[in-house]
């Protein structure tokens, strides 16, 4: 089996997991879904959850089950004679700093999630979230709910965006400030 084939296979598996999370959101957390056209395609559609919070609930459930499985399979692997170093290698834990076997035990048994910053691995996470506003249709840069004024947290809404204007009006109401 070639590396490329394996990458394609795990990509397909990831797609099936996303599909499963969406089904759980609908069947367990009670949302509905809507078919939306995929830009550039006339026959293919994508499905979107009408309540994205149900998607978060389903993904969270999936994550806690998956974490439980990591622990269960690590114990099964130890029982079968595999070492913590072998388990750490499968987990792709960084080899700098503590030995991978210790890092694997720390994570799966002690619950200490490896810290990529501490290990000197560059984080690919950006400090902002990006999404398209469903009210004004513009791409928004979301720096998190850390500042008081909505415009300091979210940039990119259209000047006429009623959602953003309502956020600013609510802020003015809350603080008693005008700008
Ligand atoms: Zn907007």
């Amino acid at each position: 089996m070639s590396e490329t084939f394996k990458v394609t296979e795990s990509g397909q598996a990831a797609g099936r997991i996303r599909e499963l999370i969406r089904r759980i959101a609908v069947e367990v957390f009670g949302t509905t879904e809507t078919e939306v056209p995929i830009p550039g395609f006339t026959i293919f559609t994508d499905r979107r959850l009408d309540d994205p919070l149900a998607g978060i609930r389903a993904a969270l459930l999936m994550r806690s089950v998956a974490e439980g499985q990591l622990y269960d399979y690590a114990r099964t692997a130890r029982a079968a004679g595999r070492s913590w170093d072998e388990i750490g290698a499968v987990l792709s834990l960084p080899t700098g700093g503590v030995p991978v076997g210790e890092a694997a035990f720390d994570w799966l048994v002690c619950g200490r999630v490896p810290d990529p910053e501490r290990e000197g691995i560059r984080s690919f996470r950006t400090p902002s979230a990006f999404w398209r506003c469903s009210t004004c249709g513009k791409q928004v840069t979301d720096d998190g709910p850390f500042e008081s004024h909505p415009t300091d947290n979210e940039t990119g809404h259209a000047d006429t965006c009623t959602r953003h204007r309502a956020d600013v009006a609510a802020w003015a109401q809350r603080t008693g400030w005008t700008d």
Side-chain angles (χ1 to χ4, degrees):
M1 194 196 306
S2 75
E3 275 305 309
T4 324
F5 184 65
K6 272 194 275 188
V7 168
T8 311
E9 290 250 289
S10 53
Q12 284 168 353
R16 280 161 58 199
I17 292 168
R18 280 193 290 271
E19 167 72 30
L20 182 57
I21 290 174
R22 205 178 57 231
R23 281 220 317 271
I24 293 169
V26 171
E27 290 166 17
V28 179
F29 296 107
T31 185
T32 49
E33 50 188 356
T34 304
E35 296 220 341
V36 288
I38 299 174
F41 291 91
T42 46
I43 45 171
F44 295 112
T45 55
D46 209 351
R47 270 170 294 169
R48 186 188 56 203
L49 294 179
D50 295 315
D51 178 11
L53 296 182
I56 294 176
R57 290 189 176 98
L60 182 67
L61 176 64
M62 179 72 89
R63 189 179 78 166
S64 63
V65 170
E67 281 172 354
Q69 294 271 278
L70 280 177
Y71 177 62
D72 289 345
Y73 279 117
R75 287 188 311 138
T76 311
R78 290 291 294 131
R82 299 298 195 160
S83 69
W84 281 109
D85 277 344
E86 286 177 289
I87 294 167
V90 173
L91 292 168
S92 300
L93 289 171
T95 46
V98 294
V100 284
E102 290 180 24
F105 188 89
D106 265 358
W107 178 14
L108 300 183
V109 182
C110 310
R112 281 190 287 271
V113 176
D115 177 7
E117 297 292 332
R118 201 195 60 204
E119 304 293 343
I121 302 296
R122 194 161 67 90
S123 170
F124 290 96
R125 239 184 279 171
T126 60
S128 305
F130 305 94
W131 36 265
R132 192 166 292 282
C133 175
S134 58
T135 303
C136 68
K138 297 285 186 191
Q139 183 77 20
V140 171
T141 302
D142 180 348
D143 295 320
F146 301 108
E147 302 298 329
S148 166
H149 196 285
T151 301
D152 294 329
N153 290 326
E154 293 173 24
T155 48
H157 288 281
D159 291 339
T160 52
C161 181
T162 49
R163 165 183 168 176
H164 194 57
R165 285 188 162 194
D167 282 347
V168 173
W171 170 85
Q173 181 97 50
R174 203 166 59 239
T175 59
W177 298 337
T178 49
D179 205 7

